[in-house]
Amino acid sequence: MSRPAAPDALAARAHPFTPLIASLAVIALAFLLPAPGGPVALALLVALCVPLSGDPRAFLPAAWLALPFWILLTVLHGLLGEGTRTTIGPLTFSEPGLLLALTTSARLTAVILASVLLLRGFRPGRFVDAALEQGWPWSLAYLCAATLNAIPRFQERATRVQEAMRSRGLRVRGSLLTRIRAFVPLALPLMLGALHDVDERAFALATRQVRADGARRTPLRPPADTAADQAVRWGAAVLVGVATLWRMI
């Protein structure tokens, strides 16, 4: 599992709303921009932003997630697709199928890269403080932070469970049958641990007298909302608006 972004990385230092809105904009633009050039250019732009954000290690988890889609879609649409065919080396590909595979893979790659950057740079405490500074209800701010933080916490728990089971002699690698047999011993403690974590969080909130009473709470250390952050957010919103109007017209 990949480690979170370094605290001094741009993705971690930015205002919490900036990477969130940028990621949502990337998801929208991936399906609004004209294919295949738009999604391909967007994927390249997001890939360029990965090292600029100060977190080049985000490439590795994103590549592991995106590579199977490239292979699968190329086989399904490129090799098995219909239409005009072209020969590349020893293989014959469908030209419309290749364009479809390229478009879909580029869209998924852009979305995966943006999502990985968001999750690796996400800090729950900073997000809650930023949401409270903007006047959000505490319950909504906590719900959003807990939802965005659930995936890395679930990944950490899955890694610990797998390592514990392997130390006890459970075989989790090998043939497909071996992996299927290991599924229940791995999944059961993982789900029980997740339920226990939810119970602990609920108990901790109850002992601190946290209620969804609508009272405005003061953030402890609200992150600075710089002009650059605001420019990125407004720029992302404008790009999505322009792309939406272009598709409608």
Side-chain angles (χ1 to χ4, degrees), residues 9-214:
L10 181 60
R13 289 187 292 106
H15 190 274
F17 289 175
T18 301
L20 177 60
I21 293 178
S23 299
L24 294 176
V26 168
I27 296 174
L29 291 173
F31 296 93
L32 289 173
L33 294 177
V40 172
L42 180 65
L44 293 176
L45 179 61
V46 178
L48 179 63
C49 292
V50 172
L52 294 179
S53 68
D55 188 20
R57 294 177 301 177
F59 272 122
L60 184 59
W64 278 111
L65 291 173
L67 184 60
F69 291 105
W70 282 89
I71 297 174
L72 179 63
L73 292 173
T74 301
V75 172
L76 287 179
H77 298 295
L79 286 176
L80 305 179
E82 300 179 351
T84 306
R85 308 192 69 85
T86 183
T87 301
I88 302 178
L91 301 176
T92 302
F93 293 92
S94 166
E95 293 182 2
L98 280 180
L99 290 178
L100 178 60
L102 176 63
T103 301
T104 307
S105 300
R107 286 171 174 167
L108 292 173
T109 301
V111 172
I112 290 172
L113 278 170
S115 302
V116 169
L117 278 178
L118 172 64
L119 293 176
R120 286 173 58 88
F122 181 72
R123 301 293 186 272
R126 297 183 76 248
F127 181 87
V128 172
D129 283 341
L132 295 178
E133 178 72 10
Q134 296 297 321
W136 287 28
W138 187 92
S139 57
L140 179 60
Y142 178 80
L143 179 63
C144 293
T147 302
L148 290 174
N149 197 40
I151 295 177
R153 288 179 63 87
F154 196 79
Q155 289 178 328
E156 292 175 2
R157 189 182 304 277
T159 301
R160 291 198 301 268
V161 169
Q162 183 176 0
E163 291 176 350
M165 289 300 180
R166 290 181 61 188
S167 67
R168 290 167 173 81
L170 179 67
R171 296 182 59 188
V172 297
R173 297 178 180 176
S175 64
L176 179 61
L177 182 59
T178 301
R179 294 174 182 268
I180 293 176
R181 289 174 178 173
F183 176 76
V184 174
L186 290 175
L188 184 59
L190 183 61
M191 301 309 298
L192 291 177
L195 293 175
H196 180 69
D197 185 55
V198 171
D199 186 65
E200 283 187 342
R201 285 172 174 265
F203 180 75
L205 293 176
T207 56
R208 289 166 174 80
Q209 297 296 311
V210 175
R211 298 185 181 90
D213 52 8

